[in-house]
């Protein structure tokens, strides 16, 4: 409802970014496999679109993930529990068959900080 109200206000105010609220109502695209609507607020870039970069597969983690395997496992499990990622029940070729659009397997890294939480 709020997005519909904002869309109407945007229209009344003659906002140049006419695609913003309809795009938000549909769910914002990441631009993968489809263009993101032009905003009409920022100047257009004058260069041609870059060549499509194929998805990639890396079979080794960054050293930061290997250095503390317990922490790495804990963080991955937390993302699984929250539904952000899932464990695929198969190997890479089975994943590529299940997702013909493309599969990307990235190198896992863990960023840590020595700064203590001052609110504790």
């Amino acid at each position: 409802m709020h997005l519909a109200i904002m869309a109407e206000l945007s229209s009344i105010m003659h906002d140049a970014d006419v695609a913003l609220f309809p795009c938000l109502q549909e769910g914002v695209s990441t631009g993968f496999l489809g263009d993101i609507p032009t905003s009409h607020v920022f100047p257009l870039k004058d260069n041609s679109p870059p060549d499509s970069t194929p998805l990639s597969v890396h079979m080794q983690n960054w050293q930061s993930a290997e250095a503390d395997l317990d922490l790495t496992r804990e963080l991955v499990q937390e993302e699984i529990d929250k539904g952000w990622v899932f464990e695929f029940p198969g190997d890479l070729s089975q994943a590529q068959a299940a997702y013909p659009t493309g599969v990307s397997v990235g190198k896992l890294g863990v960023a840590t900080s020595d700064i203590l939480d001052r609110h504790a």
Side-chain angles (χ1 to χ4, degrees):
M1 179 172 99
H2 293 105
L3 288 175
I5 293 169
M6 294 300 293
E8 288 300 318
L9 286 173
S10 177
S11 174
I12 291 168
M13 295 170 49
H14 304 288
D15 187 353
D17 197 356
V18 295
L20 175 63
F21 291 104
C23 185
L24 292 174
Q25 288 170 322
E26 292 172 13
V28 181
S29 168
T30 61
F32 182 70
L33 298 178
D35 291 336
I36 297 172
T38 305
S39 75
H40 305 289
V41 175
F42 300 104
L44 295 175
K45 290 175 67 174
D46 194 23
N47 23 343
S48 61
D51 293 333
S52 177
T53 304
L55 296 176
S56 59
V57 174
H58 300 275
M59 300 307 286
Q60 295 177 341
N61 294 324
W62 293 106
Q63 182 57 35
S64 61
E66 299 292 331
D68 188 346
L69 289 176
D70 290 336
L71 176 60
T72 300
R73 287 184 181 108
E74 178 184 332
L75 293 171
V76 169
Q77 187 61 53
E78 183 179 331
E79 294 202 358
I80 291 170
D81 293 346
K82 290 182 178 182
W84 296 342
V85 298
F86 66 94
E87 183 176 353
F88 182 80
D91 61 19
L92 179 59
S93 63
Q94 291 169 320
Q96 290 168 324
Y99 299 98
T101 303
V103 173
S104 180
V105 180
K107 288 187 172 193
L108 178 63
V110 175
T112 59
S113 173
D114 292 334
I115 298 174
L116 297 175
D117 183 6
R118 295 186 180 149
H119 303 311

